[in-house]
Amino acid sequence: MEDEEATAMLKSVGRQIKLWREAAGMKQPELGAAIGYSGEMVSSVERGRRAPKPDFLDNSDDVLGAGGKISAFKEDVEEAGYPKKVRDLKKLENEAVELGAYAALHVHGLLQTPEYTQALYEMRRPAYSEEEIDRLVAARVARKVVFEREPRPEITFVQEEATLRRPIGGRMVQRQQLEHLLEMSKLRHVSIQVMPMDREDHAGMMGSIQVLKLRNGKTLGHTEGQLYSRVISDPREVQILEMRYGMIRSQALPPRESVSFIEKILGEET
C-alpha cells in the first residue's frame, strides 16, 4: 500500500481474521481451501500485505462463524485501497458545509459519470493497468456521497464551455455526461454554471480551484496540477482563492442560463 494509514488498516483487518481463524482451530491452508483461496493468500491478508476482496471477507465470516464482524470490514478495506490524496479530499468534502469548484480542463470529478471517469483515466500516460483504472474510478465514485449526506452542503460548480464540448470517451459518453449535468442541476443544494468561451474577462485563467468551508468554521482551498494535489490552508492564500472563485461565478452564466446552455450543446450532439 502507498501510505501508513492504509497499511495500518489492512494489518488490523488481518489480525482480526487471524484471531477468528485460530479460535476456530483452523490453519491457513484449511481456511483458504474453505473460502476458495490459497493458504498463501490467507497468510498475505493476515500480515496486511494484501487487501482482501469482498468475497474473501464474506466467506471467512461464514466459515469462521464471525456473525458479520469480518464482513463489516468491507467498506474500510475498499476505502484503504483508494489513493491517499483521494481519501484525504473525500474526508474534507464530507466535512464541508459549502463547496465551490471551478473546472477548467474536464468535467469536475464530483459531476462525472463513471464512463466519463473511466475514459479520462484510460487516456493517462504512462498508462494505468486495468486494475489501477478500476480502483481510481471506484475512488472517484465514492466521493459522490457528499451529495447525499445530511445536512445537505451547498455545492456550486463552474464549468468551462470547452469541458462540455470535448467528447471525452466518444459522443455517447459525452451525451450521457451532459444529461447527468442536467439531472444534477435539479438538486436544490447544487448549482452548476457555465463559463462561455467568448468571455473577455476571466478570473480563472490560472487553472481549476476548489474552495471548502468546513463545519468548524475553517476554509480551505484545493488545487491540482500535472503531478500534485495540494490542500491550501494558509488564510492569505485561501482568501485569494475565495476572491477568484467569487469573480469566476460572477463572470459565468447564471444557473438557469447555464442549464439552457447545456441543453443547447446537448441538442447539437443529436
Side-chain angles (χ1 to χ4, degrees), residues 142-165:
R143 287 172 53 199
K144 294 177 179 289
V145 295
V146 70
F147 293 112
E148 302 167 2
R149 66 171 173 81
E150 297 287 351
R152 294 281 197 255
E154 288 298 317
I155 308 177
T156 63
F157 299 95
V158 180
Q159 286 287 155
E160 277 293 336
E161 177 185 346
T163 67
L164 308 179
R165 294 189 178 278

Side-chain angles (χ1 to χ4, degrees), residues 37-255:
Y37 285 87
S38 66
E40 182 181 353
M41 182 62 178
V42 173
S43 175
S44 295
V45 169
E46 289 186 352
R47 295 183 183 188
R49 294 179 178 177
R50 296 284 298 276
K53 294 185 179 298
D55 69 317
F56 184 107
L57 296 172
D58 285 337
N59 293 343
S60 296
D61 194 282
D62 290 340
V63 170
L64 300 175
K69 293 182 175 64
I70 294 177
S71 293
F73 285 114
K74 284 189 291 187
E75 185 176 338
D76 294 327
V77 170
E78 180 183 15
E79 194 157 307
Y82 301 158
K84 184 178 187 303
K85 66 179 183 180
V86 175
R87 295 202 315 272
D88 291 344
L89 184 56
K90 181 173 180 285
K91 289 177 183 176
L92 289 178
E93 289 170 345
N94 287 338
E95 285 294 314
V97 294
E98 290 184 38
L99 189 158
Y102 161 63
L105 300 177
H106 50 68
V107 173
H108 190 273
L110 290 175
L111 292 174
Q112 292 172 10
T113 64
E115 294 79 10
Y116 186 97
T117 302
Q118 174 102 8
L120 277 178
Y121 282 126
E122 287 176 347
M123 289 189 296
R124 292 289 179 91
R125 295 295 182 270
Y128 289 132
S129 68
E130 293 302 316
E131 183 178 352
E132 287 175 314
I133 291 174
D134 289 344
R135 182 171 67 102
L136 291 166
V137 171
R140 183 157 292 180
V141 171
R143 287 172 53 199
K144 294 177 179 289
V145 295
V146 70
F147 293 112
E148 302 167 2
R149 66 171 173 81
E150 297 287 351
R152 294 281 197 255
E154 288 298 317
I155 308 177
T156 63
F157 299 95
V158 180
Q159 286 287 155
E160 277 293 336
E161 177 185 346
T163 67
L164 308 179
R165 294 189 178 278
R166 185 170 293 117
I168 301 295
R171 296 297 178 185
M172 182 58 70
V173 171
Q174 179 194 19
R175 180 176 180 81
Q176 292 171 345
Q177 180 61 70
L178 293 173
E179 290 172 345
H180 181 65
L181 291 178
L182 293 174
E183 286 300 312
M184 295 300 294
S185 68
K186 295 177 182 178
L187 299 177
R188 288 188 293 115
H189 63 299
V190 175
S191 173
I192 300 175
Q193 295 177 248
V194 175
M195 178 69 80
M197 289 188 290
D198 64 3
R199 289 292 193 260
E200 293 184 14
D201 292 329
H202 193 335
M205 296 307 291
M206 295 295 290
S208 302
I209 58 174
Q210 189 161 314
V211 178
L212 306 100
K213 295 185 178 181
L214 309 184
R215 292 191 186 116
N216 61 11
K218 190 171 186 179
T219 301
L220 300 174
H222 178 260
T223 61
E224 288 190 7
Q226 287 283 334
L227 299 173
Y228 70 87
S229 174
R230 180 188 172 207
V231 173
I232 299 168
S233 58
D234 184 295
R236 292 167 297 184
E237 294 182 350
V238 172
Q239 189 176 47
I240 292 173
L241 293 184
E242 283 191 281
M243 176 193 68
R244 286 179 183 169
Y245 185 63
M247 292 181 67
I248 290 169
R249 290 199 69 193
S250 70
Q251 294 163 344
L253 293 174

